[in-house]
Each structure stands twice: as structure tokens, then as C-alpha cells.
Amino acid sequence: MVKVGTSERPDWPLAVVVGAGGMGMAVARRLGQSHRILLADRNLDHATGMAEAMRNDGYDAQAVACDVTDQAQVDALAAAARQAGNIRTLANVVGLSPSMGDFRTVIAVNIVGATRIAQAFLPIMESGGCAIYISSMAGHMKPLSPEVQALLDAPLEEGMIDRLEQLVGAEETNSSNAYLLSKASLNRMCKRRAKEWGRRGVRIVSLSPGLIATPMGALEFEKQPMKYNLLAATPIEREGTMLEIANVVEFLASDKASFISGTDILVDGGLTGTLQHGDKA
């Protein structure tokens, strides 16, 4: 029975949003127009505050702690989602940019953590649902060597990050390279797992934003001024907004995208194509 004075919607499907930063909250609020929201973040106090603010604005939202690098916390998140029931959408928004961690930490969050989430949620997603992984246009910038690809294709193997560090060498063991590798691997993961997810009637896609106006993006402009060159090269001639990313997430989660799986959706204002093919005008 629905409690009087609340916005609880037990008849609605559940969306699990992992990551309660700027982009995560834009996604949560958009999906919250048609889903109950389970909001997960490493910082439980922050997630709890964000979920309360959503409830005050009329959403059905709850919070749970989850550090995606901790298997026990990922399992606890999956258990909470299973208890809530009818898991229609998974939006994995959590991720570290180069200025937010070292090589090991970026790899651990962006691809090891992402894989833990995928592994935990595949068995409990409802048929007809969709998992959407927020990646980056950076995943299109550096092809993976066969040796690196083989390691990143098995991110949960013990010692993977140690072997990856040895393979790429000291000069390449930096957070910027980790970001490129992790996002390329994340895009590849969604393609490789499409058949497995499809057997359960569930879709899996990655979404690669370009330059988006977020707190994380602002930090990268501050730490890496060369990003202004990328902004100048963007054909749309501006940053994207978090709401524009939420638009695409909403579409991918809907039945209108029911034949889209195992692919990456670039939302970058045309920047990747310009960088790869030049200005042909």
C-alpha cells in the first residue's frame, strides 16, 4: 500500500543509477520521470541527500552505498535492487577523469568496477530492459593493442592491473592513458557482452559523450588547458549539456530504442569525426 503524502510509485519499473555526481543526477532525474530510482554512490551521505532532494521534488528515489571497486558493495547493491524488483534500466554513470586518480585507480573504477556491475546485474535485469554505460569519446581515440586488449577483456582476473602496468611501461602508466584505455575497453565490453545479455532479453550499450559542461569537465579544463583546442574543433561550437546526455539515456532506455544493443553511441557534437577525418569542407 502506498503511503499517503509520498510520491512512491510501486507500479513503476526500477532504474538503478550508479554515480550521484552532476551527470548521474541529470540522468537520475530524467529516468525518474518514468522509473523508481535506486541511486548508488560511494559517498552514502551524498547519495542520501540527493535522493531526499528528489523525493522532495516528487520522485520515487532511494539511496544505497556502493563503491564499484568493492565486490561486496556491488553485491549489496544488486541485492537491494533485486528486493526492490522489476529492474528495467541500469545506468552506470560513475567514472573517473584523468585528474581524479592515478593509473591504477582510474582503471579500477572505469573498467574493473564497470565489469563488476555488469556481472552482478545481468542475472536480475527484467526482460526488455537496458544497461547504459556512460563512456567517453576518448574511447575512440586510441586503438587497443592485442596484448592490452586481452588483459582488459578479463578485468576481474587477479593481478590484471599489475600486468597491465608492466605491459604499457612506466612512461605510459599515467592517468590520461588509463582513461583512454579504460573507455576503449568499456565500449568493447558492451559490444562483446551484447549476445550474453540478449539471451536474457536485455540490451547493453555504451554512450560516449564529448565535451560536456559538468563539474568533472570543468576540472579537466582547469588541469588540462589543451582541452580548449578540442572545444575549438567541435563542429557544434560549444560544450554539450548534461541534459543533452540525459536525453539520449532516456531514449536508449525506452522501447523506441528496442533494437539498439552492443554498440556505442557518440554524443560529441561531431568532434570525434572531425579529429579522425579532418575538415573536408
Side-chain angles (χ1 to χ4, degrees):
M1 182 175 180
V2 177
K3 188 184 302 182
V4 173
T6 73
S7 297
E8 293 178 0
R9 291 299 305 267
D11 53 318
W12 278 8
L14 183 72
V16 178
V17 178
V18 186
M23 183 84 77
M25 292 313 302
V27 168
R29 286 180 173 272
R30 183 60 59 83
L31 291 175
Q33 295 176 16
S34 55
H35 296 70
R36 293 172 291 134
I37 298 296
L38 184 60
L39 183 64
D41 194 87
R42 181 178 63 177
N43 185 332
L44 180 57
D45 288 342
H46 173 69
T48 299
M50 293 296 100
E52 181 179 6
M54 289 185 69
R55 289 195 299 274
N56 290 340
D57 289 338
Y59 296 91
D60 185 336
Q62 300 295 327
V64 63
C66 184
D67 179 343
V68 297
T69 67
D70 184 326
Q71 185 64 57
Q73 292 194 36
V74 171
D75 291 342
L77 171 61
R82 186 187 302 112
Q83 184 175 9
N86 192 14
I87 309 164
R88 169 81 180 191
T89 302
L90 169 66
N92 190 86
V93 191
V94 64
L96 297 182
S97 64
S99 297
M100 299 178 71
D102 58 15
F103 182 92
R104 296 182 68 89
T105 306
V106 171
I107 293 292
V109 171
N110 290 4
I111 185 59
V112 180
T115 304
R116 291 187 192 279
I117 292 290
Q119 197 169 63
F121 274 84
L122 173 59
I124 62 176
M125 294 282 291
E126 293 284 326
S127 179
C130 184
I132 303 156
Y133 276 83
I134 301 299
S135 183
S136 169
M137 62 169 281
H140 294 261
M141 295 294 104
K142 185 172 184 175
L144 301 177
S145 71
E147 297 80 11
V148 168
Q149 183 173 288
L151 281 178
L152 290 172
D153 280 353
L156 302 186
E157 287 191 1
E158 186 175 355
M160 185 280 290
I161 299 180
D162 293 331
R163 294 194 296 276
L164 182 63
E165 283 185 314
Q166 294 172 2
L167 183 59
V168 302
E171 290 187 2
E172 293 296 317
T173 307
N174 56 68
S175 60
S176 293
N177 192 39
Y179 188 73
L180 294 171
L181 295 177
S182 66
K183 293 304 185 178
S185 179
L186 181 58
N187 293 349
R188 178 174 165 81
M189 181 196 81
C190 293
K191 294 175 182 178
R192 291 175 58 245
R193 290 177 177 263
K195 185 173 183 178
E196 178 186 20
W197 284 63
R199 291 193 191 103
R200 292 190 54 85
V202 186
R203 298 177 293 112
I204 181 170
V205 296
S206 57
L207 189 168
S208 288
L211 301 180
I212 307 298
T214 67
M216 183 186 295
L219 177 64
E220 292 306 309
F221 271 105
E222 177 184 339
K223 300 293 185 180
Q224 302 186 60
M226 55 78 60
K227 289 195 68 174
Y228 284 98
N229 296 332
L230 295 177
L231 180 59
T234 300
I236 301 296
E237 299 184 335
R238 63 171 174 84
E239 291 178 279
T241 70
M242 291 182 281
L243 295 182
E244 287 173 311
I245 299 302
N247 287 343
V248 183
V249 171
E250 180 182 36
F251 166 71
L252 290 172
S254 75
D255 289 338
K256 293 180 180 179
S258 57
F259 205 56
I260 299 177
S261 190
T263 191
D264 181 67
I265 307 297
L266 268 166
V267 187
D268 68 346
L271 178 56
T272 300
T274 296
L275 294 176
Q276 291 178 344
H277 302 289
D279 187 354
K280 302 299 183 181

